[in-house]
Amino acid sequence: MTDLFDAAGTLREAYERVDWAATSLGPVDGWSPALRSTLDLALRTRAPVTLLWGPEFVLVYNEAYVEMIGDKHPAALGARTADVFAEIWDEIGPMLRSVAAGRGATWVEDMRLLMGRRGFLEETYFTFSYSAVYGRDGAIEGVIDIASETTAFVLGSRRLALLSRLNDRLADLDDVPGLLARALPLLREAPRDLAGVDILLPERAGAAPAMPDGDVVVEDHLGGRRAWVRLAGAPPTRGNAVLVAGLSPHLAVDEAYLGFIRLIGTALSQGLNRIRARQAERHAATIQREMAEALQRSLLVPPAQPDHLRVAVRYQPAAEGAQIGGDWYDSFVLPDGRLTIVVGDVTGHDRYAAAAMSQVRNLLRGIAYTLAGGPAGLLTALDDAMAGFGVGMLATCALANVEQDAEQEAAGVRTLRWSNAGHPPPVLLLPDGSVRLLDTRSEALLGTRFRPGRTEHTVELPPGAMVVFYTDGLIERRGTGLDEGIAELVDVLRQRAHPGPEEVCDHLLEHFLGATEDDVVLTVLHARPQQ
């Protein structure tokens, strides 16, 4: 008979060291067929699986599960669940007892648990299911737990959302008090990541440790730890402001955490630099505005217009002030004949944002023309290039390719394939007058330190269909969220039939432009019927 622990891999010795006879499971040769077969299945899978067996829920598990419980292994093997997970027993114990009592399987998604697995109570998140395992007599002998740790995803999404809101709040400031009034309340609403936050202006920043701009210094403070980041620029006084943030006692101070703190510092630095630029440029607003518009338009070349496809574009700078925006559009044909549409938005409304926009736009053009990949692969490569060339800005971007195979060509149908890096969703206008928001799950902005896998989406474009791409400046209003602006955009497009892409652009600008406070980019793709 095959040794029960043959499939245990690196855990084989740990299994053999356990005195199973001293546990409620008893000697291994007396284990029930249900326990043997279920454990064999668990040991042979690469997904994290544990069995919680018998009335004491004794733990047996596979190699993949070890990483999830950290330094609880190897003592957890053969131990009672209530002892191993004493700190979370109040949360998981009732679920286990319910399953063992025959009330059915459980399912939880992204459950928060403060788990002691690295020497401190760590904030962790798991998606898992407890299911009963039955013996030959039909009685429940144990519970199987199939789990996936989602800590990195939950923390990354939470932090990315905070950074996005922070950048939105800092986009249109005129003075430092306004930055403090907008940034501090938002940052103080995130106690799970930031245990107390302050921004020290130069006159109060003398207590900060020595550090270069943008670097994070961590120090012990009153039984905890706090991080310092020196911010770039602090108008109108000399010196630098400093961000000081308490660090959560429930999170490991790893590179992801420090990178998040660093990005907050970057966003604040960009806000301070924008304030400085506005104050310095206000005296020459008219001349600088003309220069800004000339520079912006020089970067936004006329779009490609291949056969049976038409692309209409509009660029409208912000209504007030001498600003250079980070919004851009692009349209070009790849060597394989695919039309590529790009609409993007680098955070900021100053010359730094314009410079970063120019870099990002040109990098993307070169990458798209060189790599024979789809939109998701191109955005991933652009992320890497931005990091390699030190483009220290965040940006959103919607990137789409128009494709057509031989069968589609005969029917005049095309496919739009796109990937979205944190950008407002495109809108599809069908020939029958219906309107569809091409909304997908939000993905990371370009320029962040998070590297989740990017995804692609497709939609069929029948003859006469149009797709509207835009930047958030078109729909964003002070005091109104983006969701409300997107809903208004869809309603406006439903209210009137449009013969072509130019008319769509004119209609949208006529409706929205009077209330816009940001740069606006519009790109409308029209899949014209073939003659």
Side-chain angles (χ1 to χ4, degrees):
M1 179 176 175
T2 303
D3 189 331
L4 179 60
F5 303 140
D6 272 352
T10 59
L11 299 186
R12 182 185 179 94
E13 291 185 6
Y15 268 95
E16 292 175 344
R17 285 196 300 268
V18 175
D19 182 5
W20 295 104
T23 72
S24 61
L25 298 186
V28 175
D29 57 9
W31 287 3
S32 70
L35 174 55
R36 286 177 168 274
S37 62
T38 310
L39 177 58
D40 183 68
L41 176 64
L43 294 178
R44 294 180 187 279
T45 183
R46 297 177 65 181
V49 178
T50 184
L51 307 182
L52 309 102
W53 210 261
E56 294 186 341
F57 300 115
V58 174
L59 284 164
V60 288
Y61 45 83
N62 64 3
E63 287 181 289
Y65 190 74
V66 172
E67 184 177 352
M68 295 172 58
I69 62 174
D71 57 18
K72 290 181 180 293
H73 176 77
L77 195 60
R80 300 188 323 144
T81 301
D83 296 332
V84 175
F85 296 107
E87 72 279 15
I88 58 174
W89 182 246
D90 287 345
E91 288 85 3
I92 67 173
M95 290 189 287
L96 282 171
R97 288 192 289 266
S98 174
V99 174
R103 299 190 186 98
T106 67
W107 168 262
V108 290
E109 190 170 2
D110 297 333
M111 184 175 183
R112 182 177 186 262
L113 296 170
L114 292 180
M115 184 184 298
R117 60 177 183 176
R118 301 186 190 181
F120 65 98
L121 285 180
E122 180 184 0
E123 181 183 2
T124 62
Y125 293 85
F126 295 89
T127 293
F128 61 94
S129 174
Y130 289 150
S131 304
V133 180
Y134 293 85
R136 290 178 177 176
D137 60 357
I140 295 175
E141 292 190 14
V143 175
I144 185 170
D145 173 20
I146 301 176
S148 173
E149 181 168 1
T150 59
T151 303
F153 174 78
V154 172
L155 295 183
S157 298
R158 182 173 80 196
R159 293 166 179 174
L160 185 58
L162 179 63
L163 287 167
S164 180
R165 293 196 301 273
L166 178 62
N167 278 285
D168 287 344
R169 288 199 180 187
L170 302 183
D172 58 351
L173 293 169
D174 291 320
D175 54 39
V176 174
L179 181 143
L180 298 179
R182 290 193 185 185
L184 285 176
L186 176 65
L187 296 176
R188 289 168 179 169
E189 291 172 1
R192 288 185 176 176
D193 284 306
L194 307 170
V197 183
D198 204 357
I199 299 172
L200 307 181
L201 297 181
E203 58 270 21
R204 297 177 54 212
M211 72 195 96
D213 291 353
D215 278 5
V216 180
V217 172
V218 177
E219 66 173 12
D220 294 329
H221 178 69
L222 299 177
R225 282 184 286 186
R226 63 182 180 182
W228 298 82
V229 182
R230 190 171 297 280
L231 307 179
T237 58
R238 293 183 178 181
N240 294 84
V242 172
L243 168 70
V244 56
L247 301 179
S248 169
H250 300 305
L251 294 173
V253 183
D254 54 17
E255 182 54 35
Y257 198 0
L258 296 180
F260 166 64
I261 301 294
R262 192 177 293 113
L263 283 172
I264 293 176
T266 298
L268 293 171
S269 295
Q270 291 170 357
L272 289 170
N273 282 328
R274 285 192 291 269
I275 292 170
R276 179 175 57 190
R278 289 189 182 116
Q279 291 177 341
E281 294 167 0
R282 191 168 292 141
H283 298 294
T286 302
I287 296 175
Q288 293 194 24
R289 179 175 177 79
E290 292 174 354
M291 294 175 61
E293 291 185 25
L295 172 61
Q296 190 85 22
R297 295 184 188 282
S298 72
L299 295 171
L300 303 177
V301 298
Q305 305 282 1
D307 290 342
H308 306 299
L309 293 172
R310 284 295 175 266
V311 181
V313 295
R314 296 290 189 275
Y315 166 70
Q316 184 65 43
E320 298 180 0
Q323 298 182 5
I324 305 175
D327 296 22
W328 88 95
Y329 62 78
D330 209 349
S331 171
F332 50 87
V333 177
L334 297 176
D336 59 9
R338 290 178 296 164
L339 175 67
T340 297
I341 301 289
V342 184
V343 173
D345 183 1
V346 172
T347 54
H349 305 287
D350 51 30
R351 58 183 177 273
Y352 305 110
M357 179 272 283
S358 177
Q359 287 181 280
V360 173
R361 171 188 173 275
N362 292 333
L363 281 172
L364 181 54
R365 274 198 157 209
I367 290 169
Y369 205 82
T370 303
L371 298 180
L378 297 182
L379 290 180
T380 299
L382 179 59
D383 261 326
D384 294 338
M386 289 173 65
F389 286 106
V391 181
M393 290 281 190
L394 300 175
T396 69
C397 182
L399 173 62
N401 287 333
V402 182
E403 305 170 355
Q404 187 178 54
D405 58 28
E407 182 177 348
Q408 288 180 317
E409 185 176 4
V413 175
R414 294 171 176 81
T415 295
L416 183 78
R417 183 182 302 275
W418 81 96
S419 187
N420 193 328
H423 200 78
V427 182
L428 173 64
L429 283 66
L430 293 170
D432 62 4
S434 60
V435 178
R436 175 183 167 191
L437 185 66
L438 301 180
D439 199 6
T440 57
R441 185 173 183 174
S442 178
E443 295 187 1
L445 280 69
L446 298 169
T448 67
R449 291 179 179 270
F450 307 112
R451 287 292 185 269
R454 296 196 180 276
T455 55
E456 291 183 356
H457 317 278
T458 60
V459 67
E460 190 173 88
L461 301 180
M466 289 185 278
V467 184
V468 179
F469 300 86
Y470 55 96
T471 56
D472 58 10
L474 177 70
I475 57 172
E476 198 170 34
R477 303 288 185 278
R478 184 172 297 178
T480 302
L482 284 176
D483 289 342
E484 290 87 345
I486 292 172
E488 182 180 356
L489 171 64
V490 172
D491 287 341
V492 169
L493 291 170
R494 283 197 181 107
Q495 292 169 6
R496 183 190 298 180
H498 303 89
E502 299 291 343
E503 290 78 10
V504 172
C505 289
D506 292 340
H507 181 203
L508 292 178
L509 289 180
E510 178 184 356
H511 178 88
F512 285 101
L513 198 55
T516 56
E517 301 175 354
D518 196 357
D519 298 340
V520 174
V521 160
L522 266 174
T523 297
V524 179
L525 168 69
H526 185 203
R528 297 194 307 162
Q530 296 180 355
Q531 302 299 323

